[in-house]
Amino acid sequence: MVKPMENRIHLLTGGTSGIGKEIAIACAKQGDTVILLARNVPKAEAMIQEFTQSHPNAKGSFNVVNADFSDLQSVKTACEEVRSKYTTIDIINNNAGIMNFDYQESKDGIEETLQVNVLAPLLITHLLLDLVSKNGKILFTASALHQGDINFENLEFKDSFSAFKVYRQSKLGIILLTRYLAKEYANQQVGFYAIHPGVVNTQLGRSAGWFSRLFFKLMGTTPQKGAETHLFVLGKENHELVSGEYYAKSKVTKITPQSYNMKTARALLLRCKEYLQPYIDSKKSFFETE
Ligand SMILES: NC(=O)c1ccc[n+]([C@@H]2O[C@H](COP(=O)([O-])OP(=O)(O)OC[C@H]3O[C@@H](n4cnc5c(N)ncnc54)[C@H](OP(=O)(O)O)[C@@H]3O)[C@@H](O)[C@H]2O)c1
């Protein structure tokens, strides 16, 4: 049972489709102000209009801020817009993600899965963490597809691309960063959580061939069900949860030994720093960890 949510400022990415859309609707119904960081503003606005018509008594509301994660300047500009409108945020819910079935580069010339699934959420967290309220939460949508290790020699899988390899690595990366940030910020009462939603029938495999799309359709649960673990974590107080943990089926779940390796996590953070250097705020100590 999700606890009542009132007046929380909830920044959500990937809220225009699939799991994120369900989270957005559930949280706005219960009183959150949901800031949708969306690449497709007309799509977000249409969703809000539909919500307003079908939930006239909703306690919460929406605000749309444009951000395309394939363009790091756009992410930075969006964070500046958020800062200009809000002095505190209670939740940063890093949910947007992609699974590309062929090699794509972002506007920044970086393999797109790495950028959208890892670099953009890390940049958002870096630029907005100081706005997060005491007892606030940072969520990252992870995946059970996180086996193996980080390929530091070829982080972008140039010339050896596989949809599975890049996606798997991006989700291991986000789990490692969740654990690392939880340790770094342990004394600040902010909770960091990695969430696996299950296999869910969404638009995630949109660029796949018919066979993989059919797999998602036949094997995937509904987006409503996929949102349950997020809503479980969002409905608890931080002292009822374990910061840095991976949650699946609304429970802390033990996963691969590689995902607990803080040396790997730190090395990854430093590699991410290299990519993000032009967009980093040097006044913040986020990347200056020991
Ligand atoms: N579905 C599963 O079985 C499954 C399993 C484990 C983990 N996950 C994770 O769950 C999260 C949500 O995915 P989903 O399954 O709900 O898929 P989805 O229906 O495709 O939703 C993905 C969301 O991310 C947004 N997005 C994609 N690229 C973006 C970009 N460049 N800039 C800004 N936003 C962007 C999409 O925006 P648009 O609406 O504009 O396309 C959409 O709102 C992802 O992190 C995914 O990896 C999914």
Side-chain angles (χ1 to χ4, degrees):
M1 183 65 188
V2 178
K3 284 186 181 174
M5 311 171 183
E6 273 175 31
N7 304 321
R8 299 188 308 190
I9 308 294
H10 180 163
L11 183 135
L12 172 66
T13 74
T16 47
S17 176
I19 299 155
K21 186 173 174 182
E22 293 304 322
I23 298 168
I25 290 169
C27 291
K29 270 200 302 210
Q30 297 186 66
D32 282 5
T33 297
V34 182
I35 309 166
L36 291 172
L37 232 60
R39 64 175 164 179
N40 185 339
V41 173
K43 185 176 179 182
E45 283 171 346
M47 182 187 125
I48 297 167
Q49 199 181 15
E50 192 190 316
F51 173 83
T52 312
Q53 278 165 5
S54 52
H55 300 89
N57 300 322
K59 293 188 197 143
S61 59
F62 287 102
N63 181 2
V64 184
V65 173
N66 185 214
D68 181 352
F69 289 11
S70 293
D71 173 0
L72 292 170
Q73 183 54 53
S74 157
V75 175
K76 183 163 187 183
T77 304
C79 290
E80 285 163 359
E81 189 179 332
V82 170
R83 291 189 81 86
S84 74
K85 290 181 174 158
Y86 298 92
T87 50
T88 58
I89 300 174
D90 300 299
I91 298 154
I92 301 179
N93 195 343
N94 291 297
N95 167 71
I98 54 169
M99 188 184 229
N100 282 345
F101 284 78
D102 54 4
Y103 183 88
Q104 303 276 349
E105 274 184 7
S106 70
K107 193 173 173 203
D108 304 274
I110 301 167
E111 192 283 310
E112 196 184 24
T113 319
L114 173 67
Q115 177 155 329
V116 173
N117 293 8
V118 181
L119 298 175
L122 189 65
L123 182 60
I124 291 167
T125 307
H126 160 65
L127 292 175
L128 297 180
L129 187 59
D130 60 319
L131 293 192
V132 176
S133 58
K134 250 191 188 171
N135 299 316
K137 292 184 175 65
I138 320 286
L139 273 60
F140 295 95
T141 304
S143 170
L145 288 180
H146 59 258
Q147 289 73 24
D149 221 326
I150 302 289
N151 181 3
F152 284 105
E153 285 70 46
N154 188 5
L155 210 52
E156 299 181 48
F157 291 96
K158 288 204 163 127
D159 306 320
S160 60
F161 180 87
S162 112
F164 175 71
K165 280 191 224 164
V166 298
Y167 185 79
R168 179 201 59 68
Q169 176 176 268
S170 74
K171 293 302 179 180
L172 172 64
I174 217 65
I175 296 166
L176 284 164
L177 293 170
T178 303
R179 296 200 200 284
Y180 193 82
L181 293 173
K183 283 198 194 331
E184 287 297 312
Y185 292 95
N187 57 2
Q188 293 201 11
Q189 292 168 294
V190 176
F192 292 82
Y193 309 100
I195 316 284
H196 170 51
V199 178
V200 191
N201 182 15
T202 64
Q203 296 299 305
L204 187 67
R206 66 187 90 182
S207 73
W210 68 269
F211 183 77
S212 302
R213 289 206 309 277
L214 189 67
F215 172 82
F216 270 103
K217 206 171 174 163
L218 295 179
M219 301 305 290
T221 180
T222 61
Q224 287 96 319
K225 188 114 190 81
E228 279 180 1
T229 301
H230 283 86
L231 295 176
F232 169 83
V233 169
L234 290 168
K236 296 278 179 198
E237 302 289 342
N238 282 340
H239 66 82
E240 300 174 282
L241 300 164
V242 189
S243 183
E245 272 300 352
Y246 172 96
Y247 280 79
K249 294 189 178 161
S250 302
K251 285 197 299 272
V252 171
T253 304
K254 195 163 164 46
I255 52 171
T256 60
Q258 291 94 329
S259 79
Y260 296 85
N261 188 327
M262 290 301 100
K263 274 194 178 156
T264 313
R266 180 169 156 72
L268 180 63
L269 186 78
L270 295 178
R271 283 295 289 276
C272 291
K273 182 184 177 190
E274 287 170 20
Y275 281 108
L276 294 173
Q277 197 65 62
Y279 306 97
I280 285 175
D281 181 342
S282 58
K283 294 191 285 302
K284 300 185 201 289
S285 60
F286 191 83
F287 290 97
E288 312 311 323
T289 55
E290 285 310 318

